[in-house]
């Protein structure tokens, strides 16, 4: 069983797509084990996007990601990390295939709606960065033996 951090970025909130995106994750079979709204700031973004902090477009990422709150989730499932990355589609929505979240709802790399961890190590670090242990729920889903 794997866990991943998911962020529904400010454009998901601004465009009223939070419910639709979460519905897709639920329908894929992923279990929500934590969820909250959060206002991000430059400090957390410099950590979260450390691999992009020296890029010329980093200030744009900060403006985008701080324009309003995000919805942060931890989702769980078998191979959740790969399943999520496939469900998201490519980073650049123009390259994301139809039926993926970015392929269906986004047009620009600057506004691509959703984040998910890109590997197991990143998932552990990102979950710790965004959630306290007591915010993570421990419960069974009635259909969990079918996954
Ligand atoms: P990912 O979100 O698919 O994991 P990353 O390469 O980790 O993609 O980039 C993180 C985020 O930074 C992207 O989702 C996007 O919001 C933003 N980003 C990446 N490259 C660009 C760019 O060239 N211009 C503007 N924003 C970018
Ligand atoms: Mg990434």
């Amino acid at each position: 069983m794997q866990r991943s951090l998911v962020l529904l970025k400010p454009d998901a909130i601004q465009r009223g797509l939070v419910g639709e995106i979460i519905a897709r994750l639920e329908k894929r079979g992923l279990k929500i084990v934590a969820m909250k709204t959060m206002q991000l700031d430059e400090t957390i973004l410099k950590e979260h996007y450390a691999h992009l902090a020296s890029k010329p477009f980093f200030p744009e990422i900060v403006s985008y990601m701080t324009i309003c709150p995000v919805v942060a989730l931890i989702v769980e499932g078998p191979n959740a990390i790969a399943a999520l990355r496939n469900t998201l589609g490519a980073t650049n929505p123009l390259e994301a295939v139809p039926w993926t979240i970015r392929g269906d709802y986004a047009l620009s790399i600057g506004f691509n709606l959703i984040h998910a961890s890109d590997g197991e190590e990143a998932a552990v670090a990102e979950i710790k960065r965004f959630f306290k242990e007591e915010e993570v729920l421990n419960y069974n889903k009635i259909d969990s033996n079918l996954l």
Side-chain angles (χ1 to χ4, degrees):
M1 208 53 81
Q2 276 184 338
R3 285 181 172 181
S4 173
L5 177 79
V6 170
L7 298 176
L8 306 186
K9 298 181 180 182
D11 47 340
I13 291 197
Q14 295 289 330
R15 294 175 57 202
L17 290 172
V18 168
E20 266 177 76
I21 294 174
I22 291 177
R24 284 188 172 214
L25 304 185
E26 284 188 296
K27 286 177 195 164
R28 187 83 207 257
L30 294 161
K31 174 178 163 184
I32 297 169
V33 294
M35 182 160 82
K36 63 180 175 181
T37 51
M38 266 180 99
Q39 176 62 49
L40 304 187
D41 61 21
E42 191 168 351
T43 308
I44 197 166
L45 288 165
K46 271 189 176 152
E47 282 177 30
H48 182 63
Y49 286 135
H51 60 297
L52 300 173
S54 61
K55 300 276 186 195
F57 54 80
F58 188 71
E60 284 165 42
I61 295 181
V62 174
S63 330
Y64 163 44
M65 292 295 292
T66 56
I67 199 160
C68 76
V70 300
V71 180
L73 304 93
I74 303 172
V75 301
E76 183 181 278
N79 301 302
I81 293 169
L84 271 164
R85 296 293 300 194
N86 289 336
T87 300
L88 261 59
T91 302
N92 185 344
L94 285 182
E95 286 158 19
V97 295
W99 299 105
T100 61
I101 292 167
R102 288 163 170 168
D104 282 355
Y105 297 119
L107 281 173
S108 147
I109 194 166
F111 297 97
N112 63 0
L113 292 170
I114 180 165
H115 165 85
S117 308
D118 67 4
E120 285 192 61
E121 218 175 289
V124 170
E126 291 178 358
I127 285 169
K128 211 168 154 191
R129 180 174 304 132
F130 284 86
F131 284 92
K132 300 188 187 94
E133 246 172 67
E134 62 267 26
E135 291 175 316
V136 182
L137 306 175
N138 217 337
Y139 69 100
N140 288 320
K141 275 180 85 178
I142 200 157
D143 62 349
S144 57
N145 59 338
L146 304 176
L147 302 173

